[in-house]
Amino acid sequence: MLHRSFSSPYIDYCSTYVLDGVKYGYRICLITSDATYTKVHERVKPQLTKEQLELIHFVPSELVYQIDDEINDEVMMQRHLGFLRPIFKLGVPVRTWSEVTSSERKGNGVEVLINWEDKVQQEIGKLWLTSVCAYEGSQLSGPTMTALLRSHEYFLTDRELVCSPLYRNEESRCYV
């Protein structure tokens, strides 16, 4: 796994996403590195009660995205959903923030990454779930970035949330 420190705006956005979710009664599942979780937790803890902090679940991203040549996307999807199922059983809406790096998808090309993203989007559509998938842009190749912009309705920069000009879907809420 590529160890890196996301910028302060990244931590700000993730913290705001968590705080807003808790405010509106969501369970939050942070699928991130320990370092990101620690920074976000430090940021939100002073603003939440003990009960509200219990709405936040942490899953180390390496447990979800760890793969080798023997593990296929279906196994990864079941692992991913396996972490979320107990949260869904609580009967409240869920927000996830998943921190994904291309190094966690080692040895696989853009096609495999996009295929994975498409499968995740299909599963998310069946669930009561709002999800953010976070990639560090400086670690992505141009073709990978273009493919991700085609498969995600929105993207987040250090300064703003933007509709992807490459995303095409009849159900899109994004008007560009």
Side-chain angles (χ1 to χ4, degrees), residues 80-109:
H80 193 111
L81 293 174
F83 289 112
L84 295 173
R85 280 188 188 104
I87 301 170
F88 289 127
K89 288 182 180 178
L90 298 171
V92 296
V94 177
R95 280 186 167 199
T96 67
W97 183 286
S98 297
E99 189 176 284
V100 186
T101 67
S102 56
S103 66
E104 289 163 334
R105 301 290 299 179
K106 61 187 175 199
N108 295 311

PDB file of all heavy atoms in Angstrom, residues 80-109:
ATOM      1  N   HIS A  80     -15.742  -6.455   0.742  1.00  0.00           N
ATOM      2  CA  HIS A  80     -16.178  -5.066   0.914  1.00  0.00           C
ATOM      3  C   HIS A  80     -17.564  -5.020   1.560  1.00  0.00           C
ATOM      4  O   HIS A  80     -17.784  -4.329   2.547  1.00  0.00           O
ATOM      5  CB  HIS A  80     -16.190  -4.400  -0.462  1.00  0.00           C
ATOM      6  CG  HIS A  80     -16.320  -2.924  -0.449  1.00  0.00           C
ATOM      7  ND1 HIS A  80     -15.300  -2.100  -0.812  1.00  0.00           N
ATOM      8  CD2 HIS A  80     -17.349  -2.112  -0.130  1.00  0.00           C
ATOM      9  CE1 HIS A  80     -15.697  -0.846  -0.719  1.00  0.00           C
ATOM     10  NE2 HIS A  80     -16.941  -0.828  -0.307  1.00  0.00           N
ATOM     11  N   LEU A  81     -18.508  -5.776   0.993  1.00  0.00           N
ATOM     12  CA  LEU A  81     -19.864  -5.795   1.521  1.00  0.00           C
ATOM     13  C   LEU A  81     -19.927  -6.458   2.891  1.00  0.00           C
ATOM     14  O   LEU A  81     -20.768  -6.110   3.713  1.00  0.00           O
ATOM     15  CB  LEU A  81     -20.803  -6.491   0.536  1.00  0.00           C
ATOM     16  CG  LEU A  81     -21.017  -5.752  -0.787  1.00  0.00           C
ATOM     17  CD1 LEU A  81     -21.843  -6.597  -1.740  1.00  0.00           C
ATOM     18  CD2 LEU A  81     -21.649  -4.396  -0.567  1.00  0.00           C
ATOM     19  N   GLY A  82     -19.022  -7.390   3.141  1.00  0.00           N
ATOM     20  CA  GLY A  82     -18.980  -8.056   4.441  1.00  0.00           C
ATOM     21  C   GLY A  82     -18.734  -7.076   5.577  1.00  0.00           C
ATOM     22  O   GLY A  82     -19.287  -7.227   6.676  1.00  0.00           O
ATOM     23  N   PHE A  83     -17.925  -6.065   5.330  1.00  0.00           N
ATOM     24  CA  PHE A  83     -17.680  -5.051   6.350  1.00  0.00           C
ATOM     25  C   PHE A  83     -18.896  -4.140   6.533  1.00  0.00           C
ATOM     26  O   PHE A  83     -19.113  -3.600   7.608  1.00  0.00           O
ATOM     27  CB  PHE A  83     -16.460  -4.197   5.992  1.00  0.00           C
ATOM     28  CG  PHE A  83     -15.156  -4.930   6.119  1.00  0.00           C
ATOM     29  CD1 PHE A  83     -14.404  -5.233   4.997  1.00  0.00           C
ATOM     30  CD2 PHE A  83     -14.680  -5.318   7.366  1.00  0.00           C
ATOM     31  CE1 PHE A  83     -13.197  -5.909   5.125  1.00  0.00           C
ATOM     32  CE2 PHE A  83     -13.477  -5.993   7.495  1.00  0.00           C
ATOM     33  CZ  PHE A  83     -12.734  -6.297   6.371  1.00  0.00           C
ATOM     34  N   LEU A  84     -19.677  -3.968   5.468  1.00  0.00           N
ATOM     35  CA  LEU A  84     -20.816  -3.050   5.519  1.00  0.00           C
ATOM     36  C   LEU A  84     -22.106  -3.695   6.009  1.00  0.00           C
ATOM     37  O   LEU A  84     -22.950  -3.018   6.595  1.00  0.00           O
ATOM     38  CB  LEU A  84     -21.047  -2.433   4.136  1.00  0.00           C
ATOM     39  CG  LEU A  84     -19.921  -1.538   3.615  1.00  0.00           C
ATOM     40  CD1 LEU A  84     -20.207  -1.129   2.172  1.00  0.00           C
ATOM     41  CD2 LEU A  84     -19.748  -0.316   4.487  1.00  0.00           C
ATOM     42  N   ARG A  85     -22.293  -4.986   5.789  1.00  0.00           N
ATOM     43  CA  ARG A  85     -23.559  -5.649   6.136  1.00  0.00           C
ATOM     44  C   ARG A  85     -23.985  -5.437   7.591  1.00  0.00           C
ATOM     45  O   ARG A  85     -25.164  -5.143   7.841  1.00  0.00           O
ATOM     46  CB  ARG A  85     -23.487  -7.135   5.799  1.00  0.00           C
ATOM     47  CG  ARG A  85     -23.722  -7.398   4.334  1.00  0.00           C
ATOM     48  CD  ARG A  85     -23.854  -8.880   4.015  1.00  0.00           C
ATOM     49  NE  ARG A  85     -23.895  -9.053   2.583  1.00  0.00           N
ATOM     50  CZ  ARG A  85     -22.880  -9.501   1.852  1.00  0.00           C
ATOM     51  NH1 ARG A  85     -21.750  -9.866   2.416  1.00  0.00           N
ATOM     52  NH2 ARG A  85     -22.994  -9.599   0.549  1.00  0.00           N
ATOM     53  N   PRO A  86     -23.073  -5.584   8.570  1.00  0.00           N
ATOM     54  CA  PRO A  86     -23.515  -5.358   9.955  1.00  0.00           C
ATOM     55  C   PRO A  86     -24.023  -3.934  10.192  1.00  0.00           C
ATOM     56  O   PRO A  86     -24.930  -3.716  10.993  1.00  0.00           O
ATOM     57  CB  PRO A  86     -22.255  -5.624  10.787  1.00  0.00           C
ATOM     58  CG  PRO A  86     -21.377  -6.452   9.917  1.00  0.00           C
ATOM     59  CD  PRO A  86     -21.693  -6.055   8.508  1.00  0.00           C
ATOM     60  N   ILE A  87     -23.464  -2.986   9.468  1.00  0.00           N
ATOM     61  CA  ILE A  87     -23.904  -1.592   9.608  1.00  0.00           C
ATOM     62  C   ILE A  87     -25.291  -1.430   8.995  1.00  0.00           C
ATOM     63  O   ILE A  87     -26.170  -0.792   9.562  1.00  0.00           O
ATOM     64  CB  ILE A  87     -22.885  -0.628   8.971  1.00  0.00           C
ATOM     65  CG1 ILE A  87     -21.512  -0.796   9.638  1.00  0.00           C
ATOM     66  CG2 ILE A  87     -23.358   0.819   9.081  1.00  0.00           C
ATOM     67  CD1 ILE A  87     -20.374  -0.083   8.936  1.00  0.00           C
ATOM     68  N   PHE A  88     -25.528  -2.047   7.828  1.00  0.00           N
ATOM     69  CA  PHE A  88     -26.839  -1.961   7.177  1.00  0.00           C
ATOM     70  C   PHE A  88     -27.935  -2.592   8.022  1.00  0.00           C
ATOM     71  O   PHE A  88     -29.066  -2.140   8.017  1.00  0.00           O
ATOM     72  CB  PHE A  88     -26.821  -2.628   5.800  1.00  0.00           C
ATOM     73  CG  PHE A  88     -26.041  -1.869   4.770  1.00  0.00           C
ATOM     74  CD1 PHE A  88     -25.054  -2.499   4.036  1.00  0.00           C
ATOM     75  CD2 PHE A  88     -26.286  -0.532   4.528  1.00  0.00           C
ATOM     76  CE1 PHE A  88     -24.331  -1.800   3.082  1.00  0.00           C
ATOM     77  CE2 PHE A  88     -25.566   0.162   3.584  1.00  0.00           C
ATOM     78  CZ  PHE A  88     -24.586  -0.471   2.851  1.00  0.00           C
ATOM     79  N   LYS A  89     -27.596  -3.637   8.765  1.00  0.00           N
ATOM     80  CA  LYS A  89     -28.592  -4.322   9.598  1.00  0.00           C
ATOM     81  C   LYS A  89     -29.136  -3.415  10.695  1.00  0.00           C
ATOM     82  O   LYS A  89     -30.167  -3.723  11.289  1.00  0.00           O
ATOM     83  CB  LYS A  89     -27.995  -5.589  10.198  1.00  0.00           C
ATOM     84  CG  LYS A  89     -27.804  -6.680   9.174  1.00  0.00           C
ATOM     85  CD  LYS A  89     -27.253  -7.933   9.804  1.00  0.00           C
ATOM     86  CE  LYS A  89     -27.070  -8.995   8.729  1.00  0.00           C
ATOM     87  NZ  LYS A  89     -26.488 -10.217   9.273  1.00  0.00           N
ATOM     88  N   LEU A  90     -28.472  -2.300  10.954  1.00  0.00           N
ATOM     89  CA  LEU A  90     -28.940  -1.372  11.981  1.00  0.00           C
ATOM     90  C   LEU A  90     -30.133  -0.547  11.503  1.00  0.00           C
ATOM     91  O   LEU A  90     -30.762   0.154  12.279  1.00  0.00           O
ATOM     92  CB  LEU A  90     -27.791  -0.458  12.423  1.00  0.00           C
ATOM     93  CG  LEU A  90     -26.602  -1.194  13.053  1.00  0.00           C
ATOM     94  CD1 LEU A  90     -25.437  -0.241  13.257  1.00  0.00           C
ATOM     95  CD2 LEU A  90     -27.003  -1.848  14.358  1.00  0.00           C
ATOM     96  N   GLY A  91     -30.426  -0.617  10.184  1.00  0.00           N
ATOM     97  CA  GLY A  91     -31.631   0.005   9.652  1.00  0.00           C
ATOM     98  C   GLY A  91     -31.578   1.515   9.473  1.00  0.00           C
ATOM     99  O   GLY A  91     -32.617   2.158   9.441  1.00  0.00           O
ATOM    100  N   VAL A  92     -30.397   2.078   9.352  1.00  0.00           N
ATOM    101  CA  VAL A  92     -30.261   3.517   9.108  1.00  0.00           C
ATOM    102  C   VAL A  92     -29.413   3.720   7.860  1.00  0.00           C
ATOM    103  O   VAL A  92     -28.649   2.840   7.475  1.00  0.00           O
ATOM    104  CB  VAL A  92     -29.615   4.254  10.318  1.00  0.00           C
ATOM    105  CG1 VAL A  92     -30.502   4.167  11.539  1.00  0.00           C
ATOM    106  CG2 VAL A  92     -28.242   3.712  10.620  1.00  0.00           C
ATOM    107  N   PRO A  93     -29.543   4.880   7.219  1.00  0.00           N
ATOM    108  CA  PRO A  93     -28.727   5.122   6.035  1.00  0.00           C
ATOM    109  C   PRO A  93     -27.240   5.157   6.395  1.00  0.00           C
ATOM    110  O   PRO A  93     -26.863   5.471   7.521  1.00  0.00           O
ATOM    111  CB  PRO A  93     -29.208   6.474   5.514  1.00  0.00           C
ATOM    112  CG  PRO A  93     -29.989   7.086   6.616  1.00  0.00           C
ATOM    113  CD  PRO A  93     -30.423   6.000   7.529  1.00  0.00           C
ATOM    114  N   VAL A  94     -26.419   4.821   5.410  1.00  0.00           N
ATOM    115  CA  VAL A  94     -24.976   4.714   5.611  1.00  0.00           C
ATOM    116  C   VAL A  94     -24.244   5.604   4.616  1.00  0.00           C
ATOM    117  O   VAL A  94     -24.634   5.706   3.454  1.00  0.00           O
ATOM    118  CB  VAL A  94     -24.504   3.248   5.437  1.00  0.00           C
ATOM    119  CG1 VAL A  94     -22.996   3.124   5.567  1.00  0.00           C
ATOM    120  CG2 VAL A  94     -25.211   2.337   6.430  1.00  0.00           C
ATOM    121  N   ARG A  95     -23.190   6.234   5.094  1.00  0.00           N
ATOM    122  CA  ARG A  95     -22.245   6.968   4.246  1.00  0.00           C
ATOM    123  C   ARG A  95     -20.901   6.267   4.350  1.00  0.00           C
ATOM    124  O   ARG A  95     -20.471   5.929   5.444  1.00  0.00           O
ATOM    125  CB  ARG A  95     -22.044   8.398   4.742  1.00  0.00           C
ATOM    126  CG  ARG A  95     -23.101   9.367   4.362  1.00  0.00           C
ATOM    127  CD  ARG A  95     -22.711  10.762   4.799  1.00  0.00           C
ATOM    128  NE  ARG A  95     -23.592  11.718   4.167  1.00  0.00           N
ATOM    129  CZ  ARG A  95     -23.334  12.997   4.043  1.00  0.00           C
ATOM    130  NH1 ARG A  95     -22.222  13.505   4.529  1.00  0.00           N
ATOM    131  NH2 ARG A  95     -24.184  13.803   3.447  1.00  0.00           N
ATOM    132  N   THR A  96     -20.260   6.050   3.209  1.00  0.00           N
ATOM    133  CA  THR A  96     -18.904   5.513   3.244  1.00  0.00           C
ATOM    134  C   THR A  96     -17.950   6.512   2.606  1.00  0.00           C
ATOM    135  O   THR A  96     -18.329   7.293   1.730  1.00  0.00           O
ATOM    136  CB  THR A  96     -18.771   4.169   2.494  1.00  0.00           C
ATOM    137  OG1 THR A  96     -18.977   4.368   1.100  1.00  0.00           O
ATOM    138  CG2 THR A  96     -19.738   3.137   3.026  1.00  0.00           C
ATOM    139  N   TRP A  97     -16.725   6.461   3.072  1.00  0.00           N
ATOM    140  CA  TRP A  97     -15.617   7.213   2.471  1.00  0.00           C
ATOM    141  C   TRP A  97     -14.522   6.186   2.300  1.00  0.00           C
ATOM    142  O   TRP A  97     -13.963   5.692   3.272  1.00  0.00           O
ATOM    143  CB  TRP A  97     -15.170   8.350   3.388  1.00  0.00           C
ATOM    144  CG  TRP A  97     -14.091   9.206   2.810  1.00  0.00           C
ATOM    145  CD1 TRP A  97     -12.768   8.892   2.669  1.00  0.00           C
ATOM    146  CD2 TRP A  97     -14.230  10.530   2.290  1.00  0.00           C
ATOM    147  NE1 TRP A  97     -12.079   9.930   2.106  1.00  0.00           N
ATOM    148  CE2 TRP A  97     -12.956  10.953   1.865  1.00  0.00           C
ATOM    149  CE3 TRP A  97     -15.311  11.396   2.157  1.00  0.00           C
ATOM    150  CZ2 TRP A  97     -12.733  12.208   1.313  1.00  0.00           C
ATOM    151  CZ3 TRP A  97     -15.087  12.648   1.598  1.00  0.00           C
ATOM    152  CH2 TRP A  97     -13.806  13.048   1.182  1.00  0.00           C
ATOM    153  N   SER A  98     -14.235   5.809   1.062  1.00  0.00           N
ATOM    154  CA  SER A  98     -13.242   4.775   0.776  1.00  0.00           C
ATOM    155  C   SER A  98     -11.999   5.395   0.164  1.00  0.00           C
ATOM    156  O   SER A  98     -12.081   6.063  -0.867  1.00  0.00           O
ATOM    157  CB  SER A  98     -13.803   3.736  -0.188  1.00  0.00           C
ATOM    158  OG  SER A  98     -14.894   3.079   0.381  1.00  0.00           O
ATOM    159  N   GLU A  99     -10.883   5.141   0.789  1.00  0.00           N
ATOM    160  CA  GLU A  99      -9.592   5.643   0.325  1.00  0.00           C
ATOM    161  C   GLU A  99      -8.914   4.513  -0.444  1.00  0.00           C
ATOM    162  O   GLU A  99      -8.509   3.511   0.125  1.00  0.00           O
ATOM    163  CB  GLU A  99      -8.778   6.038   1.556  1.00  0.00           C
ATOM    164  CG  GLU A  99      -7.518   6.770   1.294  1.00  0.00           C
ATOM    165  CD  GLU A  99      -6.881   7.183   2.621  1.00  0.00           C
ATOM    166  OE1 GLU A  99      -7.377   8.149   3.241  1.00  0.00           O
ATOM    167  OE2 GLU A  99      -5.929   6.525   3.030  1.00  0.00           O
ATOM    168  N   VAL A 100      -8.815   4.681  -1.747  1.00  0.00           N
ATOM    169  CA  VAL A 100      -8.284   3.644  -2.625  1.00  0.00           C
ATOM    170  C   VAL A 100      -7.019   4.159  -3.286  1.00  0.00           C
ATOM    171  O   VAL A 100      -6.971   5.306  -3.729  1.00  0.00           O
ATOM    172  CB  VAL A 100      -9.307   3.276  -3.730  1.00  0.00           C
ATOM    173  CG1 VAL A 100      -8.815   2.101  -4.555  1.00  0.00           C
ATOM    174  CG2 VAL A 100     -10.672   2.980  -3.128  1.00  0.00           C
ATOM    175  N   THR A 101      -6.014   3.316  -3.371  1.00  0.00           N
ATOM    176  CA  THR A 101      -4.818   3.708  -4.124  1.00  0.00           C
ATOM    177  C   THR A 101      -4.597   2.711  -5.242  1.00  0.00           C
ATOM    178  O   THR A 101      -4.952   1.539  -5.124  1.00  0.00           O
ATOM    179  CB  THR A 101      -3.547   3.756  -3.243  1.00  0.00           C
ATOM    180  OG1 THR A 101      -3.239   2.444  -2.823  1.00  0.00           O
ATOM    181  CG2 THR A 101      -3.716   4.691  -2.082  1.00  0.00           C
ATOM    182  N   SER A 102      -3.992   3.183  -6.316  1.00  0.00           N
ATOM    183  CA  SER A 102      -3.714   2.294  -7.438  1.00  0.00           C
ATOM    184  C   SER A 102      -2.731   1.214  -7.028  1.00  0.00           C
ATOM    185  O   SER A 102      -2.747   0.121  -7.570  1.00  0.00           O
ATOM    186  CB  SER A 102      -3.194   3.083  -8.637  1.00  0.00           C
ATOM    187  OG  SER A 102      -2.065   3.834  -8.268  1.00  0.00           O
ATOM    188  N   SER A 103      -1.864   1.478  -6.051  1.00  0.00           N
ATOM    189  CA  SER A 103      -0.916   0.460  -5.623  1.00  0.00           C
ATOM    190  C   SER A 103      -1.629  -0.709  -4.965  1.00  0.00           C
ATOM    191  O   SER A 103      -1.135  -1.824  -4.967  1.00  0.00           O
ATOM    192  CB  SER A 103       0.108   1.049  -4.660  1.00  0.00           C
ATOM    193  OG  SER A 103      -0.501   1.448  -3.462  1.00  0.00           O
ATOM    194  N   GLU A 104      -2.814  -0.460  -4.392  1.00  0.00           N
ATOM    195  CA  GLU A 104      -3.570  -1.545  -3.800  1.00  0.00           C
ATOM    196  C   GLU A 104      -4.154  -2.436  -4.885  1.00  0.00           C
ATOM    197  O   GLU A 104      -4.548  -3.555  -4.619  1.00  0.00           O
ATOM    198  CB  GLU A 104      -4.669  -0.985  -2.893  1.00  0.00           C
ATOM    199  CG  GLU A 104      -4.073  -0.394  -1.637  1.00  0.00           C
ATOM    200  CD  GLU A 104      -5.012   0.524  -0.903  1.00  0.00           C
ATOM    201  OE1 GLU A 104      -5.908   1.099  -1.527  1.00  0.00           O
ATOM    202  OE2 GLU A 104      -4.826   0.684   0.301  1.00  0.00           O
ATOM    203  N   ARG A 105      -4.240  -1.944  -6.091  1.00  0.00           N
ATOM    204  CA  ARG A 105      -4.705  -2.728  -7.228  1.00  0.00           C
ATOM    205  C   ARG A 105      -3.486  -3.124  -8.065  1.00  0.00           C
ATOM    206  O   ARG A 105      -3.511  -3.121  -9.276  1.00  0.00           O
ATOM    207  CB  ARG A 105      -5.679  -1.904  -8.078  1.00  0.00           C
ATOM    208  CG  ARG A 105      -6.903  -1.411  -7.346  1.00  0.00           C
ATOM    209  CD  ARG A 105      -7.844  -2.506  -6.998  1.00  0.00           C
ATOM    210  NE  ARG A 105      -8.291  -3.130  -8.244  1.00  0.00           N
ATOM    211  CZ  ARG A 105      -9.116  -4.141  -8.293  1.00  0.00           C
ATOM    212  NH1 ARG A 105      -9.591  -4.662  -7.203  1.00  0.00           N
ATOM    213  NH2 ARG A 105      -9.464  -4.667  -9.426  1.00  0.00           N
ATOM    214  N   LYS A 106      -2.393  -3.457  -7.388  1.00  0.00           N
ATOM    215  CA  LYS A 106      -1.097  -3.719  -8.028  1.00  0.00           C
ATOM    216  C   LYS A 106      -1.191  -4.709  -9.177  1.00  0.00           C
ATOM    217  O   LYS A 106      -1.931  -5.668  -9.123  1.00  0.00           O
ATOM    218  CB  LYS A 106      -0.110  -4.224  -6.992  1.00  0.00           C
ATOM    219  CG  LYS A 106      -0.536  -5.518  -6.336  1.00  0.00           C
ATOM    220  CD  LYS A 106       0.372  -5.893  -5.204  1.00  0.00           C
ATOM    221  CE  LYS A 106      -0.211  -7.138  -4.538  1.00  0.00           C
ATOM    222  NZ  LYS A 106       0.277  -7.360  -3.244  1.00  0.00           N
ATOM    223  N   GLY A 107      -0.429  -4.416 -10.200  1.00  0.00           N
ATOM    224  CA  GLY A 107      -0.334  -5.320 -11.319  1.00  0.00           C
ATOM    225  C   GLY A 107      -1.539  -5.308 -12.242  1.00  0.00           C
ATOM    226  O   GLY A 107      -1.549  -5.998 -13.239  1.00  0.00           O
ATOM    227  N   ASN A 108      -2.554  -4.565 -11.941  1.00  0.00           N
ATOM    228  CA  ASN A 108      -3.759  -4.530 -12.765  1.00  0.00           C
ATOM    229  C   ASN A 108      -3.826  -3.225 -13.532  1.00  0.00           C
ATOM    230  O   ASN A 108      -3.440  -2.185 -13.038  1.00  0.00           O
ATOM    231  CB  ASN A 108      -5.008  -4.692 -11.895  1.00  0.00           C
ATOM    232  CG  ASN A 108      -5.071  -6.042 -11.244  1.00  0.00           C
ATOM    233  OD1 ASN A 108      -4.895  -7.050 -11.909  1.00  0.00           O
ATOM    234  ND2 ASN A 108      -5.289  -6.079  -9.957  1.00  0.00           N
ATOM    235  N   GLY A 109      -4.388  -3.291 -14.715  1.00  0.00           N
ATOM    236  CA  GLY A 109      -4.476  -2.121 -15.557  1.00  0.00           C
ATOM    237  C   GLY A 109      -5.709  -1.290 -15.299  1.00  0.00           C
ATOM    238  O   GLY A 109      -6.523  -1.584 -14.434  1.00  0.00           O
TER     239      GLY A 109
END
